[in-house]
Amino acid sequence: AQKITQTQPGMFVQEKEAVTLDCTYDTSDPSYGLFWYKQPSSGEMIFLIYQGSYDQQNATEGRYSLNFQKARKSANLVISASQLGDSAMYFCAMREWFSQGGSEKLVFGKGTKLTVNP
Amino acid sequence: DAGVIQSPRHEVTEMGQEVTLRCKPISGHDYLFWYRQTMMRGLELLIYFNNNVPIDDSGMPEDRFSAKMPNASFSTLKIQPSEPRDSAVYFCASSLGDTTNEKLFFGSGTQLSVL
């Protein structure tokens, strides 16, 4: 089974509007971390935001916020006031902690391509 | 502080040739990861190191792939012999620790084309 599911291969948004990129995850471990990365056309992977499984509040970083719904196992990224420079691929990822010892690797979803229209 | 540095940025080679990709992690980071990105399979973890020791190489596709980390500031990923299906972007990433809140810092990637 896929650990991270991003169901939207592509999304379009008008400049200055908000957009939500979906991410659901699958884990039976109580301790895990959720991440969002941005990959612009230049190719680099840029860290955007992090949410811990025990965090009570939704994470926010500037125009980025994470809508964390633990019971539904979803961690959607919300980008407010979209800008043309937000056009990129966006990846959701999860890192689990196994009680047997050591952290697991960071597993990525397939990504969502966001296009911001002027 | 300089980020993760990968070289070369682009590599074009012919099938059967040996390819070596290089990575310098962020100083002080104990974990180093090699990922491969393709359209079909997305981002896949190939191998990761902790304090220069390989911890999990279950993602390495086959014996043609090998990775080493001779010291804390240098790692290589070698493909010998290379095949066209190895064409992909290879990313190196490093992190300070292995707890669930440790984010990975990625290099710019190496675009590999095997003809």
Side-chain angles (χ1 to χ4, degrees), chain A residues 6-44:
Chain A
Q6 296 181 252
T7 57
Q8 308 152 314
M11 287 285 285
F12 294 86
V13 66
Q14 287 297 124
E15 195 178 4
K16 299 180 185 176
E17 292 186 351
V19 63
T20 298
L21 306 184
D22 294 341
C23 172
T24 57
Y25 58 92
D26 180 27
T27 181
S28 57
D29 200 73
S31 181
Y32 52 89
L34 297 158
F35 301 78
W36 278 90
Y37 281 82
K38 172 184 178 182
Q39 187 177 41
S41 57
S42 52
E44 70 268 31

Side-chain angles (χ1 to χ4, degrees), chain A residues 73-87:
Chain A
K73 294 187 176 178
S74 74
N76 299 339
L77 177 70
V78 180
I79 305 174
S80 63
S82 298
Q83 301 172 357
L84 296 178
D86 294 334
S87 294

Side-chain angles (χ1 to χ4, degrees), chain A residues 31-35 37 39 42-45 47 50 91 95-97 102-110, chain B residues 9 33 35 37 40-43 45 48 56 58 91 95 97-108:
Chain A
S31 181
Y32 52 89
L34 297 158
F35 301 78
Y37 281 82
Q39 187 177 41
S42 52
E44 70 268 31
M45 295 287 288
F47 166 76
Y50 162 81
F91 293 94
R95 200 167 188 181
E96 300 169 284
W97 181 267
S103 168
E104 258 297 326
K105 53 211 174 192
L106 193 64
V107 178
F108 285 84
K110 297 291 187 188
Chain B
R9 191 69 198 273
F33 304 79
Y35 281 85
Q37 185 179 32
M40 289 296 294
R41 302 174 67 92
L43 274 153
L45 179 68
Y48 78 94
D56 183 353
S58 60
F91 284 102
S95 72
D98 69 341
T99 54
T100 53
N101 65 340
E102 288 289 352
K103 64 178 181 274
L104 270 61
F105 294 81
F106 283 80
S108 299

Side-chain angles (χ1 to χ4, degrees), chain A residues 29-30 97-102:
Chain A
D29 200 73
W97 181 267
F98 291 131
S99 58
Q100 293 87 337

